[in-house]
Amino acid sequence: MTTKTTLRGALLATSALMISAGLAAAQDYSKYGIKEDVPGACSFASIDAKDYSGRTLNIITHAIPVIGEPTALHAQQFQELTGATVNVVHVPFGDLFQRIMIPFQTGQQAYDVLFFASLWLGDFNPYLAEVPQAYQEVSGMQSVTPTYKGVATWNGKMLNYTMDGDRHYLKYRSDVFSNPEMQALFKEKTGRDLTVPATWEEYNEVAAVFNNMDWDGDGAPNFGTAEVTKRDDLMFSAFISRVAAYAKHPDVKGGFFFDLATMEPLVNTPGWVKGLEMFVAAQASMPPGGTSFGLGDEIFSFGGGQALMSYSWDDAFIQAMQEDSPIRNKVAAAPLPGATEVWNRTTGQWDKFDTPNTAPYVTWGWSSAVASASENQDMAFDYLCFFGNEANTLADLQIGRFGVNPYREAHFDPAFYETELGWDVNTATTYTDTLKAIDGGQNQVFDLRVPGVGEFMSSLAAGVARAQSGEATAQEALDGVAAEWKAIVDRIGVDRVREAYANVVALEDK
């Protein structure tokens, strides 16, 4: 695409947004599953005023339901409103990266709109169109929190169109923690009061006390913790949650995964080793089969009432809060546990903290973008803007299987969850307070978004699995990972990886 064509497209996009917003008329769009249309440049009424008849938009997305289902739903709506032909290709997660990357590398213009994991931006960024300023200024984008605007940005340019926000946090059974009998049992066994775990040591202790006992009175045993432990099913993210508080020192800048200056891997330093030791120890408090749980298993183990605690994305919490859930309004949220001893790689010593150190983990998040080679960028950005308009997003947030999680300031208001979803005050308040604490928190950890991230994470997961199985100690396992990471960096090119990693470090050190 020539510079002249790109400039013309940007000007047309700006004019179209202004005109369509002005033409938006009051109509009833409730048949599309929304409560009511919200006026704006990408509202139902504004998009309805556009005519894309005779044009085709091609979209690639994840398999149904997570992200794939809302992609298809809003594509059908967009097609009906604009007259465009919209083709949606659904791809299983294991194949999605290559199905997007191969056309990029071979110069094929296969898709206009792409939905993918945000940590792949390190690989995809050369092939993506910058979000035009007009779309960055629509109300829905203006209310995206700074954290998720940062996730969408690469070298100062907004390349992802934000439509989801993800993070890891602690979920727990509030009914058990507030039960006097359970409190007395815990005090008897540990000598201390039962509290929401503030450290990973406390988490493991609580999980052990309440493991393999019928604490909910349904006649079936319950267990202490459900965690993502399956090597090839996002286990690396669960492990990073376990590590962050020990290895992310608030006073040490310049890298969590690598030392940015030297690009020496940090994955085998004492903080990482301690996190792995705690991860391995927790296996004794997991349900049968829990040492090979994938994300789906963790969702239904906690969300179905089997486990006392878990930590990962919103899905298990939302599952627990479905209208037909037996534990609806019996759960609460809290930030990830912390650590009272944190490795300081500058001094080579453990530093003690009276108040546990925490490191909010902003992990993953589905994202979307427009291919820079697309000849339909105007239509593509209109579709993404429509996908994420206020009316669609509020509807999507209420459907757990859609995988769309809070990312705007308004999404952190407990009143929405109380009035629209019927959550009780404690559940809604702990949930939104936790999200706000992560989004505005200090000492954040972000995903490793560099070329070859899949190789780095596969290596990490394999090493962690060796420790989980007892094949290697935590130190031995992570020494092996560090050696593999060095080899990957050498093969890709240290300068190329460092340049990409600098974007991650900038988010963490801000």
Side-chain angles (χ1 to χ4, degrees):
M1 181 177 291
T2 65
T3 302
K4 182 177 180 180
T5 303
T6 305
L7 178 60
R8 179 176 178 272
L11 291 172
L12 286 173
T14 303
S15 300
L17 282 171
M18 295 172 62
I19 293 170
S20 62
L23 291 175
Q27 297 185 45
D28 182 9
Y29 293 99
S30 60
K31 68 176 182 178
Y32 290 108
I34 61 172
K35 183 176 181 180
E36 61 183 359
D37 196 17
V38 178
C42 299
S43 66
F44 277 78
S46 295
I47 295 300
D48 197 4
K50 305 213 173 188
D51 184 3
Y52 288 132
S53 301
R55 298 179 63 183
T56 299
L57 187 69
N58 292 310
I59 302 172
I60 185 169
T61 189
H62 186 238
I64 289 173
V66 179
I67 296 301
E69 189 170 347
T71 301
L73 170 65
H74 301 317
Q76 180 62 37
Q77 295 167 343
F78 189 83
Q79 181 169 281
E80 292 180 14
L81 292 168
T82 67
T85 297
V86 184
N87 300 319
V88 178
V89 175
H90 293 94
V91 180
F93 182 77
D95 299 327
L96 186 58
F97 178 89
Q98 291 299 335
R99 287 286 296 273
I100 294 174
M101 192 63 172
I102 290 174
F104 282 160
Q105 293 175 325
T106 57
Q108 303 175 66
Q109 178 41 44
Y111 307 105
D112 302 295
V113 175
L114 323 150
F115 287 88
F116 54 89
S118 62
L119 79 168
W120 294 342
L121 185 58
D123 289 287
F124 291 167
N125 68 87
Y127 310 101
L128 305 180
E130 183 176 4
V131 177
Q133 192 62 35
Y135 293 91
Q136 294 187 39
E137 293 175 357
V138 301
S139 59
M141 191 62 74
Q142 286 291 302
S143 63
V144 173
T145 70
T147 291
Y148 294 104
K149 286 181 180 177
V151 170
T153 302
W154 191 264
N155 286 336
K157 295 182 178 181
M158 187 176 185
L159 298 183
N160 283 355
Y161 200 100
T162 308
M163 33 61 67
D164 179 39
D166 276 333
R167 75 291 288 164
H168 274 192
Y169 59 90
L170 170 65
K171 300 96 157 162
Y172 64 95
R173 286 288 296 272
S174 56
D175 60 329
V176 177
F177 275 77
S178 63
N179 185 320
E181 292 183 11
M182 297 299 107
Q183 292 172 346
L185 172 66
F186 186 79
K187 185 72 173 279
E188 178 185 345
K189 291 193 173 185
T190 68
R192 71 177 185 89
D193 292 334
L194 176 61
T195 57
V196 178
T199 66
W200 285 110
E201 285 81 4
E202 291 180 2
Y203 183 99
N204 280 13
E205 182 182 42
V206 172
V209 168
F210 292 105
N211 189 56
N212 199 23
M213 63 175 288
D214 180 17
W215 37 253
D216 63 2
D218 66 355
N222 299 100
F223 301 91
T225 179
E227 309 183 32
V228 180
T229 54
K230 187 176 181 181
R231 170 178 166 177
D232 297 321
D233 196 342
L234 301 175
M235 174 260 274
F236 61 84
S237 286
F239 171 57
I240 293 168
S241 280
R242 282 275 188 172
V243 164
Y246 297 106
K248 184 68 163 58
H249 196 295
D251 298 327
V252 177
K253 308 300 182 183
F256 171 72
F257 295 98
F258 294 93
D259 181 326
L260 182 63
T262 65
M263 288 308 294
E264 186 74 14
L266 301 174
V267 291
N268 61 337
T269 54
W272 284 77
V273 173
K274 179 64 174 179
L276 181 50
E277 290 171 345
M278 297 300 293
F279 195 30
V280 171
Q283 292 182 117
S285 301
M286 295 177 184
T291 55
S292 58
F293 267 13
L295 178 60
D297 301 309
E298 181 260 346
I299 290 170
F300 289 105
S301 180
F302 178 81
Q306 182 187 43
L308 178 70
M309 301 180 294
S310 75
Y311 60 92
S312 71
W313 295 274
D314 292 73
D315 308 272
F317 195 87
I318 301 303
Q319 180 66 31
M321 289 301 295
Q322 295 296 300
E323 289 188 1
D324 59 351
S325 170
I327 61 172
R328 179 174 168 84
N329 285 322
K330 296 180 181 180
V331 297
L336 288 173
T340 55
E341 291 189 320
V342 185
W343 180 251
N344 186 326
R345 62 181 172 87
T346 300
T347 64
Q349 296 179 343
W350 288 97
D351 288 343
K352 296 185 181 298
F353 287 71
D354 293 332
T355 300
N357 175 59
T358 58
Y361 183 23
V362 181
T363 175
W364 267 62
W366 289 98
S367 196
S368 62
V370 172
S372 59
S374 169
E375 297 181 354
N376 297 298
Q377 290 191 23
D378 56 341
M379 186 164 50
F381 280 114
D382 269 354
Y383 167 76
L384 289 177
C385 192
F386 172 71
F387 181 111
N389 72 29
E390 288 88 337
N392 277 332
T393 301
L394 288 180
D396 292 348
L397 285 172
Q398 301 181 48
I399 304 173
R401 68 180 185 274
F402 275 16
V404 175
N405 296 312
Y407 62 95
R408 290 181 177 138
E409 300 288 355
H411 301 165
F412 299 159
D413 181 359
F416 165 72
Y417 301 94
E418 294 170 37
T419 58
E420 298 295 331
L421 303 185
W423 294 13
D424 71 12
V425 173
N426 181 64
T427 302
T429 301
T430 62
Y431 179 67
T432 53
D433 283 352
T434 296
L435 300 191
K436 284 185 282 190
I438 297 168
D439 191 80
Q442 301 297 310
N443 204 35
Q444 292 172 317
V445 170
F446 290 81
D447 283 318
L448 179 65
R449 300 190 300 168
V450 298
V453 64
E455 295 179 70
F456 287 112
M457 292 301 103
S458 292
S459 170
L460 182 61
V464 172
R466 291 184 65 219
Q468 287 177 317
S469 68
E471 179 185 342
T473 67
Q475 186 69 66
E476 291 168 346
L478 293 178
D479 283 345
V481 174
E484 291 175 355
W485 279 28
K486 288 180 182 179
I488 296 170
V489 169
D490 288 343
R491 182 172 49 75
I492 295 175
V494 64
D495 291 338
R496 184 180 173 206
V497 178
R498 180 190 285 112
E499 181 182 6
Y501 187 48
N503 284 276
V504 181
V505 174
L507 290 174
E508 293 178 341
D509 289 356
K510 66 180 184 299

